[in-house]
Amino acid sequence: MDDQLSHVRADGSAHMVDVTEKATTSRTSRAQAVVVTRSEVIEMIMAGGLPKGDALPVARVAGIMAAKKTWETIPLCHPIPLGKITVDFKSDTGAGTVRVEALVKTTGVTGVEMEALSAASTAALTLYDMIKAVDPRAAITDIKVLEKTGGKSGDWSLEDPGAQS
Amino acid sequence: MDDQLSHVRADGSAHMVDVTEKATTSRTSRAQAVVVTRSEVIEMIMAGGLPKGDALPVARVAGIMAAKKTWETIPLCHPIPLGKITVDFKSDTGAGTVRVEALVKTTGVTGVEMEALSAASTAALTLYDMIKAVDPRAAITDIKVLEKTGGKSGDWSLEDPGAQS
Amino acid sequence: MDDQLSHVRADGSAHMVDVTEKATTSRTSRAQAVVVTRSEVIEMIMAGGLPKGDALPVARVAGIMAAKKTWETIPLCHPIPLGKITVDFKSDTGAGTVRVEALVKTTGVTGVEMEALSAASTAALTLYDMIKAVDPRAAITDIKVLEKTGGKSGDWSLEDPGAQS
Amino acid sequence: MDDQLSHVRADGSAHMVDVTEKATTSRTSRAQAVVVTRSEVIEMIMAGGLPKGDALPVARVAGIMAAKKTWETIPLCHPIPLGKITVDFKSDTGAGTVRVEALVKTTGVTGVEMEALSAASTAALTLYDMIKAVDPRAAITDIKVLEKTGGKSGDWSLEDPGAQS
Amino acid sequence: MDDQLSHVRADGSAHMVDVTEKATTSRTSRAQAVVVTRSEVIEMIMAGGLPKGDALPVARVAGIMAAKKTWETIPLCHPIPLGKITVDFKSDTGAGTVRVEALVKTTGVTGVEMEALSAASTAALTLYDMIKAVDPRAAITDIKVLEKTGGKSGDWSLEDPGAQS
Amino acid sequence: MDDQLSHVRADGSAHMVDVTEKATTSRTSRAQAVVVTRSEVIEMIMAGGLPKGDALPVARVAGIMAAKKTWETIPLCHPIPLGKITVDFKSDTGAGTVRVEALVKTTGVTGVEMEALSAASTAALTLYDMIKAVDPRAAITDIKVLEKTGGKSGDWSLEDPGAQS
């Protein structure tokens, strides 16, 4: 952490940190977001019966495209090449939830946590957009990074509490 | 709700629904997102001591800019003029949280829930980007619309459970 | 036509023409693009068996999003509000073709031909992207406006050769 | 082809395929699009006498800029560095056509067919935008890749039917 | 001025100010930017003899496109419809300068000064990009609004020092 | 210079030049822009008392984001990875000026002068946007590259007149 904090500028001003000396390595990140709605709305999503149409394919494309635009949306993120992006959905009708999971892979100089988070959260927002006519009180929760591999800080996963952060 | 569901197409395919017949009225939406981290990280945010610099002004700008690009990020949203956007932060050092609240106002033909949600969630993601060097396990929760005024479906707020949805 | 040509500047330089005096009216445009490939590729599209996944929903979303960005892609197009966008596909396995048809509707000061053409051509390019691993020699043809309503120049359709152009 | 099809996911869902293991090599692609209008319109294009101004330089810039944004427009395209982009026009007054040819070159991990096609088709759409006041029934045809070099699938050109596809 | 300052928030935080109550009126703005280089570079610009090609048409298109993206580039600008954009150049070979003048017109709720300034400065930056191989020490000066019409603050022009500001 | 001019095409048409053969090296560029206003406006900037809020953090973020979008704004610029971006301000209350200085660093095949210039000029335009309610006649001057390192043309700085250009 000491090393990372060396990026702080004397006046505390925001800046895009220097990554030109970092190693180009294979890196992945998995992140999630959870849409919380009602059981019957999950059924409408699965049946393709929503006002704006079949929701999951639209949310998937939105998530993939958002991952690629992360450097444009998050002010201090670096533009990096992205080698693989997947966005998957797991619905639980009883609980009234859809869990979005995004996986991003790169060969680059920075991690891809922000890209995975952007993909998951944008896919979830897109689902909200498509269900809000039937459930405007739906919410999105538990947006977080699940796992990270590659890079100097080492691999870790939320499921493995002993790993280094 | 019946009327809204009339947008469903015979084949269930996704589309941007027709809003050309909707009335141009004054509309507002308030939405939130909550960043959950540790107490000492909140202190670093408040002291401007994070590796990438002073976090709140960057997150505020990111949120405002994201609201304006909602139609570009969320596939089936309509481009509409936006008349006012604010993004505010309320931190709770003891709880280790920062609540982001976004307010968007328009004179237009659609509501601005998605714009307010985009502002709040992007500001929260930007905060995560700036604290992830010190807390990669931070999460974002409780993204939801708090209140909506204007439009045919009537005013409502989450705090007022009796209101129409 | 004389009136329209009054936009020409003395030095012939390109410019975005003045539309501030034009009437805000309801306008629609329908346009198409045709992807020409092989019969077995059409079967793969229909079966969702392509390397990059289920093609039609991705192409539909790409077309809708492209329509909204027309003013950004085509240098002299005006940004206008769009009220409805649909993108549909009609495949002919025997002929080895997929016809993309886009419909765009606005209440605005300019026609939406370019938006409909952008939607149709981008959806077709997206289909090519998804089939090029199995047919790199596929082509896109017959991109054209099929019908236009609203605006000073009057309604016309390609199918009705007697209409005013 | 077998190898390429290994990208298909079990559920057929769309995704951005993994290119992190692919070799970084020099790659080029040439593509075309043909605008079909009337002889006198070609003369107006050549004389710089169109309502919106001198058309070819505008279309050329639009094509070059579109090539750079291909990863943003086509959902499953990878962002890659582009090293050279040219857009050229060959008009045939008698036939009433303008053929647009785009050449894109990269040192990267994927081919640049989509970038060349985006450049050619966007330049053609821009020409349509500039002539539609005088010929709204103009069309765009024969959008296709003419030649590709570099990459695992080998070099090929449409003019050389014996080449591998 | 008092009235305008009423936008200041208690905590001084940045925000996009409320324009929903402002009148929709016809507004124009003219702005300029001046590129300062050497006489022989001006001659190369005029002769179309620069390494990257004919510079003025490219700079014109860049300026027009930048005006349309002002709301995206300048964080607190409002997205508004633009009705007319022109970008013109006046070169002075002896002085080694090119003056860029941009005119933007709208029927909207805010002025278009930022749009005119974005057009002029981006066109000037594009010229620099095209001449930097032959004059890396060229500069851009005197970027300013020349004239404004429409809106509550009244018409004014830099050339008319008696006008209200 | 001779070598650079070899990029000129026979017909003088604009194009994005080939950089695929150029060496990937560490490169930096520093550029500036100067906002010229009145002393009391400088005091308002420093006190955070402007109508739209605290100006410098917003201008800093705008500059950093603009640097990353240079390839999108300047038609013939190449998209390249950026490794570090800083934007700093030096105000002179007596002179009524704010000097913006941007530094950009990359490991890439082209220089980053345009990125540094875009950052500095966009930050300056953003300042103008935030002060124009109190000084619409403010101007931006002296936009120029201050220093460049890396690349075939060698290092140089404006302060060192003996250096190679």
Side-chain angles (χ1 to χ4, degrees):
Chain A
M1 208 167 89
D2 281 357
D3 182 62
Q4 288 164 313
L5 292 184
S6 66
H7 289 306
V8 183
R9 303 187 86 200
D11 66 352
S13 64
H15 60 293
M16 207 172 83
V17 304
D18 192 352
V19 297
T20 56
E21 304 298 319
K22 295 179 72 175
T24 298
T25 61
S26 181
R27 297 158 188 267
T28 64
S29 184
R30 269 193 311 124
Q32 72 163 26
V34 179
V35 179
V36 182
T37 176
R38 299 189 316 258
S39 296
E40 62 268 36
V41 176
I42 302 293
E43 285 164 356
M44 293 176 82
I45 291 174
M46 293 304 141
L50 290 165
K52 293 186 173 184
D54 195 12
L56 299 185
V58 178
R60 178 177 282 120
V61 172
I64 290 172
M65 294 178 92
K68 293 193 278 184
K69 300 191 82 170
T70 302
W71 61 269
E72 192 177 318
T73 306
I74 309 296
L76 304 181
C77 273
H78 297 79
I80 55 168
L82 300 181
K84 179 184 182 177
I85 309 171
T86 59
V87 174
D88 291 296
F89 304 96
K90 189 163 287 180
S91 65
D92 180 331
T93 307
T97 59
V98 180
R99 199 173 73 83
V100 184
E101 186 172 314
L103 170 69
V104 178
K105 189 173 175 184
T106 190
T107 304
V109 293
T110 73
V112 284
E113 298 97 307
M114 295 313 302
E115 284 75 10
L117 287 166
S118 291
S121 61
T122 301
L125 284 171
T126 300
L127 284 182
Y128 177 83
D129 180 45
M130 299 186 80
I131 66 175
K132 73 177 195 291
V134 295
D135 185 11
R137 290 159 201 259
I140 301 170
T141 63
D142 279 319
I143 298 180
K144 57 189 170 189
V145 177
L146 297 173
E147 184 181 48
K148 183 193 169 188
T149 69
K152 194 179 61 178
S153 65
D155 299 354
W156 64 270
S157 100
L158 271 196
E159 288 84 5
D160 175 9
Q164 182 201 350
S165 70
Chain B
M1 208 166 85
D2 282 356
D3 181 62
Q4 287 164 313
L5 292 185
S6 66
H7 289 305
V8 183
R9 305 186 85 201
D11 65 353
S13 64
H15 60 293
M16 206 172 85
V17 303
D18 193 352
V19 297
T20 57
E21 304 299 319
K22 294 179 71 174
T24 298
T25 61
S26 181
R27 297 159 190 263
T28 64
S29 183
R30 268 193 314 123
Q32 73 163 27
V34 179
V35 179
V36 181
T37 175
R38 300 190 312 261
S39 297
E40 62 266 36
V41 176
I42 302 294
E43 285 164 356
M44 293 176 81
I45 291 174
M46 292 305 142
L50 289 166
K52 293 186 172 184
D54 195 13
L56 298 184
V58 179
R60 179 177 281 119
V61 173
I64 291 171
M65 294 176 91
K68 292 192 278 183
K69 299 189 82 169
T70 301
W71 61 269
E72 192 177 317
T73 306
I74 308 297
L76 304 181
C77 273
H78 296 80
I80 55 168
L82 300 181
K84 179 184 183 177
I85 309 171
T86 59
V87 174
D88 291 297
F89 303 97
K90 189 161 285 181
S91 65
D92 181 331
T93 306
T97 59
V98 181
R99 200 174 72 83
V100 185
E101 185 172 315
L103 170 69
V104 178
K105 189 173 175 183
T106 191
T107 305
V109 293
T110 72
V112 283
E113 298 98 306
M114 293 315 300
E115 284 75 9
L117 288 167
S118 290
S121 61
T122 301
L125 283 172
T126 301
L127 284 182
Y128 177 83
D129 180 46
M130 298 187 82
I131 66 174
K132 74 176 194 292
V134 294
D135 184 11
R137 290 158 200 261
I140 301 170
T141 62
D142 280 319
I143 298 181
K144 57 189 169 189
V145 177
L146 298 172
E147 184 179 47
K148 184 193 170 187
T149 70
K152 194 180 61 176
S153 64
D155 300 352
W156 64 271
S157 99
L158 272 197
E159 289 84 4
D160 175 9
Q164 180 201 350
S165 71
Chain C
M1 208 166 85
D2 281 358
D3 183 60
Q4 289 163 311
L5 292 185
S6 66
H7 289 306
V8 184
R9 304 185 85 201
D11 66 352
S13 64
H15 59 293
M16 207 172 84
V17 303
D18 193 352
V19 297
T20 57
E21 304 299 321
K22 295 179 72 174
T24 298
T25 61
S26 180
R27 298 158 190 263
T28 64
S29 183
R30 269 194 313 123
Q32 73 163 28
V34 179
V35 179
V36 182
T37 176
R38 300 191 311 261
S39 297
E40 63 266 36
V41 176
I42 302 294
E43 284 164 357
M44 294 176 82
I45 292 175
M46 293 305 142
L50 289 166
K52 294 185 172 185
D54 196 11
L56 298 184
V58 179
R60 179 178 280 119
V61 173
I64 290 171
M65 293 177 91
K68 292 192 278 184
K69 300 190 81 169
T70 302
W71 61 270
E72 193 178 316
T73 306
I74 308 296
L76 304 180
C77 273
H78 297 79
I80 55 168
L82 300 182
K84 179 184 183 175
I85 308 172
T86 58
V87 174
D88 290 297
F89 303 97
K90 189 162 289 181
S91 65
D92 181 330
T93 307
T97 60
V98 180
R99 201 174 71 84
V100 185
E101 186 172 314
L103 169 70
V104 178
K105 188 173 175 184
T106 190
T107 305
V109 294
T110 71
V112 284
E113 298 97 307
M114 293 314 301
E115 284 75 11
L117 287 167
S118 290
S121 61
T122 301
L125 283 171
T126 300
L127 284 182
Y128 177 83
D129 179 46
M130 298 186 82
I131 65 174
K132 73 177 193 292
V134 294
D135 185 11
R137 291 160 199 259
I140 301 170
T141 62
D142 280 318
I143 298 180
K144 56 189 170 188
V145 178
L146 297 173
E147 184 180 47
K148 185 192 168 189
T149 70
K152 196 179 59 177
S153 64
D155 300 353
W156 64 271
S157 100
L158 272 197
E159 288 85 5
D160 175 8
Q164 181 202 351
S165 71
Chain D
M1 205 166 91
D2 282 356
D3 182 63
Q4 288 162 314
L5 292 184
S6 66
H7 289 307
V8 183
R9 305 185 86 200
D11 65 353
S13 65
H15 60 293
M16 206 173 84
V17 303
D18 193 351
V19 297
T20 57
E21 304 298 321
K22 294 179 71 174
T24 298
T25 61
S26 181
R27 297 158 189 265
T28 64
S29 184
R30 271 193 310 124
Q32 74 164 25
V34 179
V35 179
V36 182
T37 175
R38 301 189 313 259
S39 296
E40 62 268 35
V41 177
I42 302 294
E43 285 164 357
M44 294 177 82
I45 291 174
M46 294 304 142
L50 290 165
K52 293 186 174 187
D54 195 12
L56 298 184
V58 178
R60 178 178 282 122
V61 172
I64 291 172
M65 294 178 91
K68 293 193 277 184
K69 301 190 82 170
T70 302
W71 60 270
E72 193 177 317
T73 307
I74 309 296
L76 304 181
C77 272
H78 298 79
I80 54 167
L82 299 182
K84 179 183 183 178
I85 309 171
T86 58
V87 174
D88 291 296
F89 304 97
K90 190 162 285 181
S91 64
D92 181 330
T93 307
T97 59
V98 180
R99 200 173 72 84
V100 185
E101 185 172 312
L103 170 69
V104 178
K105 189 174 174 184
T106 191
T107 304
V109 293
T110 71
V112 283
E113 298 97 306
M114 294 314 300
E115 284 75 11
L117 287 167
S118 290
S121 62
T122 301
L125 283 171
T126 301
L127 284 182
Y128 178 82
D129 180 45
M130 298 186 81
I131 66 175
K132 73 177 194 291
V134 295
D135 184 12
R137 291 160 200 257
I140 301 170
T141 61
D142 279 318
I143 299 181
K144 57 188 170 189
V145 178
L146 298 173
E147 183 181 47
K148 184 193 170 189
T149 70
K152 194 179 60 177
S153 65
D155 301 352
W156 63 272
S157 102
L158 272 197
E159 288 84 5
D160 174 9
Q164 181 201 352
S165 70
Chain E
M1 208 165 88
D2 281 358
D3 182 62
Q4 288 164 311
L5 292 185
S6 65
H7 288 305
V8 183
R9 306 186 85 200
D11 65 354
S13 65
H15 60 293
M16 207 173 84
V17 303
D18 192 351
V19 297
T20 57
E21 303 299 320
K22 295 179 72 175
T24 298
T25 61
S26 180
R27 298 159 189 262
T28 64
S29 183
R30 268 192 313 123
Q32 73 163 28
V34 178
V35 179
V36 182
T37 177
R38 299 190 313 260
S39 297
E40 62 267 35
V41 176
I42 303 295
E43 285 164 357
M44 293 176 83
I45 292 174
M46 293 306 141
L50 289 165
K52 292 185 173 186
D54 195 13
L56 298 184
V58 178
R60 179 178 281 119
V61 173
I64 290 171
M65 294 177 91
K68 292 192 279 184
K69 300 190 82 169
T70 301
W71 61 270
E72 193 177 317
T73 307
I74 309 296
L76 304 180
C77 273
H78 297 79
I80 54 168
L82 300 182
K84 179 185 182 176
I85 309 171
T86 59
V87 174
D88 290 296
F89 304 97
K90 189 161 288 180
S91 65
D92 181 329
T93 307
T97 59
V98 180
R99 201 174 72 82
V100 185
E101 186 171 314
L103 170 69
V104 178
K105 189 174 176 183
T106 190
T107 304
V109 294
T110 72
V112 283
E113 297 97 305
M114 293 315 300
E115 283 75 10
L117 287 166
S118 290
S121 62
T122 301
L125 283 171
T126 301
L127 284 182
Y128 177 83
D129 180 45
M130 298 186 81
I131 66 175
K132 73 176 194 291
V134 294
D135 184 13
R137 290 160 200 260
I140 301 170
T141 63
D142 280 318
I143 298 181
K144 57 189 170 188
V145 177
L146 298 172
E147 184 180 47
K148 184 192 170 188
T149 70
K152 195 179 61 177
S153 66
D155 300 353
W156 63 271
S157 100
L158 272 197
E159 288 85 4
D160 174 10
Q164 182 202 349
S165 70
Chain F
M1 206 167 89
D2 282 357
D3 182 62
Q4 287 164 313
L5 292 184
S6 65
H7 289 307
V8 183
R9 304 186 86 201
D11 66 351
S13 65
H15 60 293
M16 207 172 83
V17 302
D18 193 352
V19 297
T20 56
E21 304 299 320
K22 295 180 72 175
T24 298
T25 61
S26 180
R27 298 158 190 265
T28 65
S29 183
R30 270 193 312 123
Q32 73 163 25
V34 179
V35 179
V36 182
T37 176
R38 298 189 314 259
S39 297
E40 62 267 35
V41 177
I42 303 294
E43 285 164 357
M44 295 176 82
I45 291 174
M46 293 304 142
L50 290 166
K52 292 186 173 184
D54 195 11
L56 298 184
V58 178
R60 179 177 281 119
V61 172
I64 290 171
M65 294 177 92
K68 292 192 278 184
K69 300 189 82 170
T70 302
W71 62 269
E72 192 177 316
T73 307
I74 310 295
L76 304 181
C77 273
H78 298 79
I80 54 168
L82 299 182
K84 179 183 183 177
I85 309 172
T86 59
V87 174
D88 291 297
F89 304 97
K90 189 162 285 180
S91 65
D92 180 331
T93 307
T97 58
V98 180
R99 199 174 73 84
V100 185
E101 186 171 314
L103 171 69
V104 178
K105 189 173 175 184
T106 191
T107 304
V109 294
T110 72
V112 283
E113 299 97 306
M114 294 314 300
E115 283 76 10
L117 287 167
S118 291
S121 61
T122 301
L125 283 171
T126 301
L127 285 182
Y128 177 83
D129 180 45
M130 298 187 81
I131 66 174
K132 73 177 194 290
V134 295
D135 185 12
R137 291 161 200 257
I140 301 170
T141 62
D142 280 318
I143 298 180
K144 56 188 170 191
V145 178
L146 298 172
E147 185 180 46
K148 184 193 168 187
T149 70
K152 195 179 62 177
S153 65
D155 300 354
W156 64 271
S157 101
L158 270 196
E159 289 83 5
D160 175 9
Q164 182 201 350
S165 70

